Amino acid sequence: IKKELEGSVEGLEILSTSQHSVQVKIWKTEHKQLRLLIMFPEEYPHKCLMIEVKSKSLPERVMKLIENITEKEAKKLQGQYQVIQICKVARQFLDENMFIVCADELDAVKNRLMEKGDEIKIKQKAGTFQVTAHKNGYFMNLKFSITDDYPQSNAKIECKETNFPADLAAMFVRQGVELSRRCVVAPALQKKGDPPFKVKPSILPVAEYLIRDCIKFYPTAQCSICDNQTFPTDPKDVTQDIRGPLYVEYVYCSHVFHHKCLDKYMKTPPFKGGKKCPICGKRIFHEKWKETPELAEQRWAHKQAKRRELDEVTDFMDF
């Protein structure tokens, strides 16, 4: 058996052999590897092999699935030699199922983040899945892609379709991409006393942000300046005009406002220290309102002076 196994399956290493069993390691990547303990019954090959799967990287239910698949293959070969084919089947499973290393993450996406009417379509061999999530008529269709060395490499994300405002949807995706990157790339500056950086899986953190914190949250978010819902009830009424009064403005602290409301707020005192978000108190930074607090105050004072002049002229004419 030892001679036949060697070189028959890519990534296979024989760990031990005896009269009653053989133990092999099948390695594809650091996170896609397993051990097969193959035990011979007394009347082998007329009786089927008994197989036990062990792995430090694969979820328990995936190991059980591989055990079931290999045992079914052994039954098909009852009366014939089964060991090499069993190892080939196990290797094929590793090759064709890209998401086995993140099965728990996908379960969490389906069970914790998705609601009735949402959809997920998984393509194991291609290493991609698409999620369509909805809220109050708004939706995004997101495509996640991984490579063989996941989670050492991060998941890639793209938006395939949406009815959110284009700029806002693009910002959601950019934030998701950056969040994914931070899961695998150490920060340039690490705070003193922080533990050493460790790579972590990126699918679930990104899905939580995009589905829970964006798609499911913003359609019902209120503009805290006027206290009305920021997004129109009907997605067809969403304005794409970046200067339109009801255009949805997103600020870096993640809160949203109507353009007309935020424009008035940014141009009204107090200005000292910069304008603060009325929800969280963080300073607002936005490319449409770049004036320094000093310049904003000067412009407001100038506008008020002009208004007083007009009022005085009006009073004189009425007199």
Side-chain angles (χ1 to χ4, degrees):
I1 291 175
K2 186 174 182 180
K3 286 182 179 180
E4 292 178 358
L5 274 175
E6 289 176 343
S8 64
V9 178
E10 184 181 357
L12 183 143
E13 177 188 351
I14 299 172
L15 301 176
S16 65
T17 59
S18 71
Q19 186 179 354
H20 303 291
S21 68
V22 59
Q23 185 172 195
V24 302
K25 176 181 178 181
I26 302 177
W27 190 94
K28 182 173 175 66
T29 68
E30 181 182 347
H31 295 275
K32 287 183 182 177
Q33 54 180 297
L34 55 83
R35 294 188 178 199
L36 289 180
L37 176 58
I38 303 170
M39 294 163 282
F40 304 101
E42 289 185 4
E43 298 178 22
Y44 175 79
H46 301 292
K47 283 195 174 180
C48 297
L49 294 169
M50 293 174 288
I51 302 156
E52 184 178 333
V53 178
K54 294 182 179 179
S55 175
K56 292 181 179 179
S57 58
L58 300 178
E60 181 70 27
R61 66 184 185 87
V62 171
M63 289 188 281
K64 290 294 182 186
L65 178 58
I66 298 172
E67 282 182 4
N68 292 337
I69 291 171
T70 51
E71 285 175 354
K72 284 181 181 178
E73 187 68 20
K75 287 179 181 178
K76 292 179 186 177
L77 299 170
Q78 191 168 347
Q80 306 173 49
Y81 292 113
Q82 305 157 26
V83 177
I84 293 177
Q85 184 59 25
I86 292 306
C87 293
K88 287 182 177 179
V89 167
R91 171 68 197 204
Q92 184 180 7
F93 186 89
L94 294 182
D95 289 338
E96 294 183 353
N97 293 275
M98 296 277 282
F99 289 108
I100 54 176
V101 294
C102 49
D104 290 342
E105 285 187 282
L106 288 179
D107 282 347
V109 171
K110 289 185 278 190
N111 298 328
R112 286 165 36 190
L113 301 178
M114 299 183 69
E115 300 173 348
K116 186 177 180 181
D118 295 340
E119 297 179 28
I120 183 168
K121 295 180 180 179
I122 301 172
K123 295 182 178 180
Q124 285 279 3
K125 291 183 180 180
T128 66
F129 71 91
Q130 288 189 216
V131 174
T132 305
H134 306 77
K135 187 69 177 183
N136 288 14
Y138 292 87
F139 78 93
M140 287 187 78
N141 178 283
L142 300 163
K143 181 180 179 181
F144 289 70
S145 307
I146 63 169
T147 55
D148 262 333
D149 57 347
Y150 182 88
Q152 292 301 121
S153 65
N154 58 313
K156 309 302 179 188
I157 307 101
E158 59 181 302
C159 178
K160 305 301 289 184
E161 188 180 3
T162 185
N163 60 358
F164 278 90
D167 288 349
L168 194 62
M171 188 280 305
F172 291 164
V173 174
R174 285 196 301 270
Q175 294 281 75
V177 168
E178 175 60 16
L179 182 59
S180 181
R181 187 192 68 84
R182 290 181 184 179
C183 289
V184 299
V185 178
L189 297 174
Q190 199 158 354
K191 294 180 182 178
K192 190 176 180 180
D194 281 355
F197 176 79
K198 287 185 179 180
V199 168
K200 62 181 180 180
S202 52
I203 288 176
L204 185 57
V206 173
E208 286 176 335
Y209 167 71
L210 289 172
I211 299 174
R212 181 192 63 198
D213 300 342
C214 295
I215 301 169
K216 302 293 184 181
F217 173 76
Y218 285 110
T220 60
Q222 284 187 316
C223 170
S224 66
I225 296 173
C226 68
D227 290 330
N228 292 319
Q229 188 168 301
T230 310
F231 282 84
T233 304
D234 190 339
K236 292 178 182 178
D237 295 331
V238 167
T239 179
Q240 303 288 348
D241 178 4
I242 62 172
R243 298 291 176 181
L246 297 181
Y247 181 79
V248 178
E249 299 285 3
Y250 175 96
V251 295
Y252 289 121
C253 59
S254 78
H255 294 115
V256 289
F257 306 90
H258 294 123
H259 174 79
K260 65 176 182 179
C261 299
L262 189 58
D263 186 60
K264 182 178 179 181
Y265 178 75
M266 294 298 288
K267 295 175 180 178
T268 305
F271 299 105
K272 188 176 181 180
K275 296 295 290 184
K276 308 294 193 302
C277 173
I279 301 174
C280 66
K282 293 181 180 178
R283 184 171 175 179
I284 294 176
F285 294 95
H286 198 292
E287 61 181 11
K288 291 181 183 176
W289 296 275
K290 294 181 179 180
E291 298 96 340
T292 63
E294 294 75 19
L295 181 57
E297 189 158 10
Q298 289 173 13
R299 287 181 173 176
W300 178 82
H302 181 69
K303 187 176 181 180
Q304 293 301 111
K306 273 196 167 184
R307 182 173 293 173
R308 285 194 297 271
E309 288 178 7
L310 288 172
D311 288 345
E312 288 173 2
V313 170
T314 301
D315 290 343
F316 176 79
M317 295 298 292
D318 288 344
F319 181 79

